[in-house]
Amino acid sequence: MKVLKLKLFQETACYKKPFAFKVGETYPLPPYSTVKGMLHKILKVEEGSPPVPMRISIQGNYESKFVNYQSMYFFKPNETTKMPLNIHLLYNVQLIIHVDAVEEVLNRIVEGLKNLEEHLSLGRKEDLVRIDEVKYVEVKSYDPDLEGESFIIQNPIYIPVDSLPSDVDGINYRLNWKYNVVNGLRQWDKIDVKYVEEGTEITDEVQVDNDGEPGDLIYFNTTLI
């Protein structure tokens, strides 16, 4: 199976958690909906159009985390108020994203990246993205029983709970994926995942790409929808 692999860099990023109002807390990696939104922008999918069927695997690392002070403005009738807000920022973020979709969609993403009309961002508008590599890779299986050694995770990664290896644990998150508009409001479908750290050993069979040995780990978030 052929999928698209993106290597991205961000000097700073905040993937803000919902309902974090007094402190701008960030996820350690961008949630699925945030990455899909970036891909939809590349594909020029208009707001309100049906989502493009795809599935995503997200992994990556960052050098450090720091706190930035910002002012939050609230607009009310005849009044504007201001409140201080601490924003958690990730510094020097390296991301590896695998995208599975029909070939025509993957080709459109590649062409869209070559012909961007404005800069890409991931997280906040000011969290700019540098595209370090775009390539097609093949997905293959890595079986520790056949290879003679366990698979060691090289980058922190989101693993859906329903795909979690039997001997692996991590930090629980419920990540937005796609939404339906009901009575004018977005209702999100969420995916339960574990954020699994680098260095974790996996003894179950896993999927990896063919980009090096043994290749980068892949855990897609859903079926192809």
Side-chain angles (χ1 to χ4, degrees), residues 65-97:
K65 183 187 294 185
F66 64 97
V67 177
N68 186 30
Y69 178 87
Q70 294 185 355
S71 295
M72 180 70 70
Y73 290 87
F74 299 90
F75 299 96
K76 303 176 183 179
N78 304 317
E79 183 184 10
T80 301
T81 59
K82 183 173 71 171
M83 183 182 77
L85 187 69
N86 288 322
I87 303 293
H88 294 184
L89 295 176
L90 307 178
Y91 177 65
N92 280 353
V93 183
Q94 304 274 355
L95 297 174
I96 298 175
I97 296 171

Side-chain angles (χ1 to χ4, degrees), residues 14 16-17 20-26 85-89:
C14 178
K16 190 172 180 292
K17 296 180 181 178
F21 297 117
K22 294 186 178 180
V23 176
E25 294 183 88
T26 180
L85 187 69
N86 288 322
I87 303 293
H88 294 184
L89 295 176

Side-chain angles (χ1 to χ4, degrees), residues 102-185:
V102 298
E103 185 174 2
E104 183 265 340
V105 169
L106 298 182
N107 290 340
R108 284 172 55 199
I109 292 173
V110 173
E111 289 304 310
L113 288 169
K114 292 178 181 178
N115 300 283
L116 290 173
E117 296 177 354
E118 61 176 308
H119 69 266
L120 283 181
S121 59
L122 194 60
R124 305 170 304 165
K125 186 71 173 178
E126 60 265 40
D127 294 330
L128 305 184
V129 172
R130 187 183 76 201
I131 305 164
D132 286 346
E133 189 173 35
V134 180
K135 67 188 334 181
Y136 291 104
V137 293
E138 292 289 335
V139 180
K140 62 180 184 178
S141 294
Y142 182 96
D143 188 342
D145 290 337
L146 298 178
E147 300 292 340
E149 58 183 13
S150 302
F151 187 91
I152 306 298
I153 293 179
Q154 299 300 310
N155 300 289
I157 187 171
Y158 288 141
I159 301 181
V161 169
D162 57 9
S163 302
L164 193 70
S166 58
D167 55 351
V168 170
D169 200 2
I171 300 172
N172 291 300
Y173 290 111
R174 297 198 75 200
L175 302 179
N176 289 342
W177 171 227
K178 61 187 182 71
Y179 66 87
N180 296 304
V181 177
V182 179
N183 297 324
L185 299 175

Side-chain angles (χ1 to χ4, degrees), residues 3-20:
V3 301
L4 192 62
K5 181 177 184 178
L6 310 177
K7 288 188 176 182
L8 310 177
F9 171 81
Q10 294 180 275
E11 185 175 21
T12 60
C14 178
Y15 315 120
K16 190 172 180 292
K17 296 180 181 178
F19 310 115

